[in-house]
Amino acid sequence: MAKAENSDGEKLVKAFHGAHHAHGRCVGRALSRADALCRQRGARLTTMRRRVLELIWDSHKAVKAYDLLDRLSDGEKPVRPPTVYRALEFLMAHGLVHRVDSLNAFVGCSGADADHNAQFLICQQCGDVSEMDGAAIGKAVARQAQLAGFTVRRQTVELHGECPRCTAS
Amino acid sequence: MAKAENSDGEKLVKAFHGAHHAHGRCVGRALSRADALCRQRGARLTTMRRRVLELIWDSHKAVKAYDLLDRLSDGEKPVRPPTVYRALEFLMAHGLVHRVDSLNAFVGCSGADADHNAQFLICQQCGDVSEMDGAAIGKAVARQAQLAGFTVRRQTVELHGECPRCTAS
DNA sequence: GAAAAAATGTTACTTTATAACAATGCATTT
DNA sequence: AAATGCATTGTTATAAAGTAACATTTTTTC
């Protein structure tokens, strides 16, 4: 996760983006990563899949499947649910997109590697979702579970609250 | 959370129940707690709400709303979705039931107080769900989020994996 | 027991997601 | 380039999860 300094010179984890950040870079980074990853694995990032990924990266908010559907469709050629869900399935399988269970919605994966335990910070005000790859949390969680004799295979950690930007204003 | 000793004399947190535990007690405890809590608050634990709560406590698995619906209905008098969802809404508002987002399903709340941050351990094999009131996790999570300038208001923590009983066999 | 409030019933619909099969596209061999 | 085979997308239909709006009944309160 990128670090930045605030006005007091403190180190802050920069998980959320400013309102007017150069979003093109987020998108660009995500798409080239997708390209690279798929090439490397011999997976096909088809036009449809790429379009879906781009639409998801259009913002940092979680996107509903049926919103994607609407945006992909024009009156002449409506796109049907299975098409979108299949693209999402592919993108999730390759770690390019995550499903946010508590929202029934999808966000682009900004994490480094494919198979990681991500946590999500979801702003209840602006709707922006930020991904934390907090190994610390992952471990705390796994340790606590271990006390109950439980082996963690997959975790859903979704934190709803207020992002720095909305807190400030 | 109750403690128990295993064969080595170690202290273990007993979050999961044995296969043949005296389940009547779980149910009994849950129902009397519900009675007490509602009386105390002047809330009405009506027949319908109580029936739904009982059905949920029928097992330690998460229950789907439409399963409840089926079980509440007989051919003559089908119960409709809003009835069940309203009962669930009431039970959740009073902290008697939790929704498990990653399963679209509901479990009885075994936690002590009403307004708590619960974490769920979900066994992928047997389907049993256990509630951890891990203040430790809650805090670790909130602390980590704070580093990103994020204020946590509500958390969804759902851990999928293997419970002790299924691990053993 | 009449009025008000709370809970439940009812109808209809929205949103989210998947199953099953058909058609198309793409990649490799020949 | 035609033939084969597999992956992807299209299409139809339906399942599963949840809610809005209004009618009826039950409970409480005055």
Side-chain angles (χ1 to χ4, degrees):
Chain A
M1 209 171 295
K3 303 262 177 180
E5 287 188 66
N6 70 2
S7 52
D8 300 327
E10 285 176 327
K11 291 285 179 191
L12 290 181
V13 177
K14 192 186 172 197
F16 278 87
H17 301 269
H20 312 300
H21 73 282
H23 186 58
R25 285 204 205 154
C26 297
V27 180
R29 198 185 317 127
L31 290 176
S32 19
R33 186 177 150 242
D35 281 330
L37 211 141
C38 288
R39 196 158 354 97
Q40 175 194 321
R41 295 188 190 173
R44 293 171 48 198
L45 190 61
T46 59
T47 308
M48 180 58 71
R49 290 164 178 173
R50 204 165 208 281
R51 279 175 75 198
V52 169
L53 186 57
E54 280 172 16
L55 284 174
I56 286 177
W57 273 101
D58 189 42
S59 79
H60 289 283
K61 303 184 197 324
V63 188
K64 302 255 165 191
Y66 275 72
D67 283 355
L68 294 171
L69 207 51
D70 289 346
R71 291 202 257 158
L72 288 167
S73 299
D74 62 29
E76 308 293 292
K77 277 233 143 209
V79 167
R80 312 289 180 178
T83 303
V84 168
Y85 281 103
R86 283 190 289 228
L88 289 170
E89 190 181 25
F90 172 90
L91 295 169
M92 286 195 292
H94 290 282
L96 299 170
V97 155
H98 291 291
R99 202 192 123 93
V100 182
D101 286 332
S102 57
L103 299 176
N104 291 346
F106 303 83
V107 288
C109 171
S110 53
D113 49 346
D115 223 28
H116 58 158
N117 277 327
Q119 292 100 31
F120 299 99
L121 304 178
I122 302 156
C123 182
Q124 293 172 325
Q125 274 226 259
C126 69
D128 271 15
V129 176
S130 158
E131 185 176 344
M132 271 199 312
D133 200 344
I137 292 182
K139 277 178 192 158
V141 157
R143 196 180 322 118
Q144 194 74 14
Q146 200 54 250
L147 289 177
F150 190 90
T151 311
V152 177
R153 296 238 193 280
R154 181 171 77 75
Q155 34 172 296
T156 300
V157 177
E158 300 172 7
L159 309 179
H160 295 255
E162 241 179 28
C163 78
R165 202 145 52 76
C166 289
T167 300
S169 60
Chain B
M1 209 172 294
K3 303 263 177 178
E5 287 187 69
N6 70 2
S7 53
D8 300 327
E10 284 174 330
K11 291 287 178 188
L12 290 181
V13 177
K14 192 186 173 197
F16 278 88
H17 301 269
H20 310 301
H21 74 283
H23 186 58
R25 285 204 205 151
C26 298
V27 179
R29 198 185 317 124
L31 290 175
S32 19
R33 186 177 149 241
D35 282 329
L37 209 142
C38 287
R39 196 157 356 96
Q40 175 194 321
R41 295 189 190 171
R44 293 172 48 199
L45 190 61
T46 60
T47 308
M48 180 58 72
R49 289 165 179 172
R50 203 166 208 281
R51 279 175 75 197
V52 169
L53 187 58
E54 281 172 16
L55 284 175
I56 286 176
W57 273 102
D58 191 40
S59 80
H60 289 284
K61 303 183 195 328
V63 187
K64 302 256 165 189
Y66 275 72
D67 282 355
L68 293 171
L69 208 51
D70 288 345
R71 291 203 257 157
L72 288 167
S73 299
D74 63 29
E76 308 293 292
K77 279 232 140 209
V79 167
R80 312 289 180 182
T83 302
V84 166
Y85 281 103
R86 282 192 288 229
L88 288 169
E89 190 181 25
F90 172 90
L91 294 169
M92 286 196 292
H94 290 283
L96 299 170
V97 155
H98 292 292
R99 201 191 124 91
V100 182
D101 286 332
S102 57
L103 298 177
N104 291 346
F106 303 83
V107 288
C109 171
S110 53
D113 49 345
D115 224 29
H116 57 158
N117 277 327
Q119 292 99 32
F120 298 99
L121 304 178
I122 302 156
C123 181
Q124 292 172 324
Q125 273 227 259
C126 69
D128 272 14
V129 177
S130 158
E131 185 176 344
M132 269 199 314
D133 199 344
I137 290 182
K139 276 178 194 160
V141 156
R143 195 180 322 118
Q144 194 74 14
Q146 200 54 250
L147 289 176
F150 190 89
T151 310
V152 177
R153 296 239 192 279
R154 182 172 74 76
Q155 34 172 296
T156 299
V157 177
E158 301 172 7
L159 310 179
H160 296 254
E162 241 181 27
C163 77
R165 202 143 55 76
C166 289
T167 299
S169 62

